[in-house]
Amino acid sequence: MIYAKRYLSLPPYLFADLERKAAEMKQRGVDVIHLGIGDPDLPPPAFFTEALHRHLDDSDAHLYPTSQGDPEVRRTIARWFQGRFGVELDPDREICVLIGAKEGLANFARLVVNPDDVVACPDPAYPVYAQAGAILNEGLRQTLMLDPERGFLPDLTQAEGVRLLFLNYPNNPTGATAPESFFRDLAAFADSHPGTVVAHDAAYSEMTFGDYRAPSLLQYTRRAVEFHSLSKLFNATGYRIGFLAGNPELVLPFTALKAQLDSGAPVFIQRAMADGLARYQGADPPPEVRANLAQYERRRALVEEKLAEIGWEVTRSQATFYVWARVSGEEMETVNRAALEKGVIMTPGRGFGLGGKGYVRLALSQPYERLEEAMERLRTL
Ligand SMILES: Cc1ncc(COP(=O)(O)O)c(C=O)c1O
């Protein structure tokens, strides 16, 4: 078969490989503790599942949705954005519902990237920016290294002249959060570089701990776009729902582009998202979500502490459900030995780019007791 060069240029999708390895091990009877993928083990809050059931009975639930999303859902998103970030959005021009942030990120790049345009991608990073953003559009990838010495923040001077700039805070895989000063710098960059499209991936904005609250880039500039996801907020990765917000010069054409590609997220799922967002009290999530976050926070404290005891250099974090740790020696060797000898699956840092060399990522997506067990196994590695 002859395949397109852009397809052949793609490296394998990291998580598909991990899933295959885990399934093989389980089949061999290994008691696998899978810390490789950010897929929540906790169920969605009851209010979300109930809303899904309820909206399935809506008279239009079976019909094609609109590409931009249900108008009432967009109005609810706008109210949520106002309460959560203090930013007023026009639901008809500045919001588009997504079939998950991944769909949005991948399709958005098609709107603005021509062959040989430069796409700036952080490294390490969620692989979609480089692969669906740059490679699939025959763009050129410019790497923005996220060094621990700089708090995993990029040097924006390296993004001069690029067509599209992806950034992501709270960050996967490092767990890093960006201070307000960085958001201001990024906003100034967006405002002073009209030829560069700034796309902020805020998929983890709601997964934060202690008194840390992640801001939105749209608080500082309206020239950018921001991707939001319900996947982690409502433990709802499988329902595929999120939204894009920001500059109408980008959001509206993106909606037109999407009309050519897909028919939008099922309307009952959109409405369940909206009902869930409507439960926020201003910037505060509903109690069920707070209880979820408390579990993740407890897990994070355990894993950070135990890995530090083993002697791994742990990045302490107030956000995301990933722990990013530098191991002694080659991370691929550690990852392989942990899987083969101990049945503990972690993601090698290099899977997120060369900047991940020497690191591993552990997703806190297992019950506390299983994480205790995983830490014990790693201690004896
Ligand atoms: C940084 C980042 N952005 C986007 C996504 C995808 O989110 P969604 O499930 O809404 O497609 C993920 C999923 O893990 C992610 O880590």
Side-chain angles (χ1 to χ4, degrees):
M1 185 56 72
I2 298 169
Y3 297 107
K5 277 193 237 141
R6 69 178 82 84
Y7 168 72
L8 295 173
S9 315
L10 285 173
Y13 193 63
L14 171 70
F15 300 107
D17 264 13
L18 272 178
E19 276 311 293
R20 206 188 49 247
K21 269 192 202 127
E24 277 166 17
M25 286 168 63
K26 279 184 193 154
Q27 213 163 23
R28 278 190 277 116
V30 179
D31 174 24
V32 172
I33 306 183
H34 197 341
L35 309 179
I37 293 193
D39 212 349
D41 59 307
L42 300 168
F47 65 74
F48 184 73
T49 314
E50 279 160 23
L52 284 170
H53 283 282
R54 198 170 57 251
H55 288 300
L56 255 183
D57 288 335
D58 291 353
S59 60
D60 57 351
H62 61 298
L63 298 176
Y64 279 126
T66 58
S67 304
Q68 194 177 358
D70 182 74
E72 191 50 46
V73 167
R74 283 185 274 115
R75 280 193 277 279
T76 306
I77 293 171
R79 277 193 293 277
W80 177 78
F81 222 89
Q82 171 78 64
R84 171 67 179 84
F85 300 113
V87 172
E88 196 176 322
L89 294 174
D90 177 347
D92 294 329
R93 292 165 40 79
E94 295 180 300
I95 295 173
C96 178
V97 175
L98 302 173
I99 312 171
K102 184 180 188 180
E103 175 268 306
L105 290 160
N107 282 330
F108 181 79
R110 301 163 77 141
L111 179 70
V112 292
V113 178
N114 279 313
D116 298 332
D117 278 352
V118 182
V119 180
C121 306
D123 184 336
Y126 183 53
V128 172
Y129 315 135
Q131 292 168 16
I135 297 177
L136 279 184
N137 294 303
E138 295 162 61
L140 305 171
R141 174 182 168 196
Q142 158 95 27
T143 297
L144 300 181
M145 294 313 277
L146 304 187
D147 294 323
E149 294 72 32
R150 294 179 55 94
F152 298 105
L153 299 171
D155 173 359
L156 290 177
T157 61
Q158 292 182 4
E160 285 292 337
V162 306
R163 179 70 193 113
L164 174 60
L165 164 60
F166 281 117
L167 286 171
N168 160 230
Y169 294 97
N171 183 259
N172 173 21
T174 66
T177 54
E180 194 183 320
S181 58
F182 180 77
F183 277 95
R184 287 194 192 286
D185 290 348
L186 184 55
F189 184 94
D191 292 342
S192 59
H193 293 74
T196 298
V197 173
V198 176
H200 182 233
D201 178 359
Y204 295 93
S205 71
E206 303 314 290
M207 195 182 258
T208 64
F209 311 113
D211 48 19
Y212 178 70
R213 278 296 163 81
S216 161
L217 178 58
L218 302 181
Q219 289 167 236
Y220 306 97
T221 177
R222 305 303 291 267
R223 285 202 55 80
V225 288
E226 189 161 80
F227 295 84
H228 285 263
S229 167
L230 275 290
S231 285
K232 317 288 155 109
L233 175 61
F234 294 151
N235 294 326
T237 44
Y239 290 112
R240 316 305 308 127
I241 194 78
F243 62 89
L244 173 68
N247 185 351
E249 281 183 54
L250 293 164
V251 171
L252 288 178
F254 176 72
T255 301
L257 176 86
K258 257 174 79 70
Q260 307 277 354
L261 297 170
D262 61 60
S263 299
V267 79
F268 70 97
I269 303 181
Q270 295 187 40
R271 289 178 184 147
M273 158 173 74
D275 288 4
L277 291 178
R279 286 176 173 261
Y280 266 66
Q281 299 284 329
D284 292 330
E288 295 86 338
V289 170
R290 289 209 298 272
N292 252 333
L293 290 173
Q295 293 213 46
Y296 289 130
E297 191 175 10
R298 186 163 166 257
R299 294 173 182 185
R300 171 175 285 287
L302 168 78
V303 170
E304 285 184 355
E305 183 198 319
K306 294 291 177 191
L307 293 184
E309 277 173 26
I310 299 173
W312 294 3
E313 200 181 303
V314 177
T315 309
R316 308 272 172 178
S317 166
Q318 289 178 291
T320 78
F321 61 175
Y322 304 115
V323 175
W324 186 241
R326 201 198 305 249
V327 299
S328 42
E330 262 291 309
E331 100 265 18
M332 273 318 293
E333 194 194 314
T334 307
V335 166
N336 285 335
R337 282 187 47 223
L340 292 175
E341 296 171 23
K342 303 290 177 182
V344 177
I345 298 197
M346 303 179 290
T347 318
R350 216 161 314 181
F352 301 97
L354 282 181
K357 195 166 169 300
Y359 286 84
V360 294
R361 191 195 76 172
L362 293 86
L364 301 168
S365 49
Q366 293 289 338
Y368 193 85
E369 300 66 38
R370 292 293 279 168
L371 288 173
E372 281 183 314
E373 165 73 21
M375 292 303 106
E376 184 52 27
R377 292 189 199 176
L378 291 180
R379 195 180 63 77
T380 57
L381 189 65

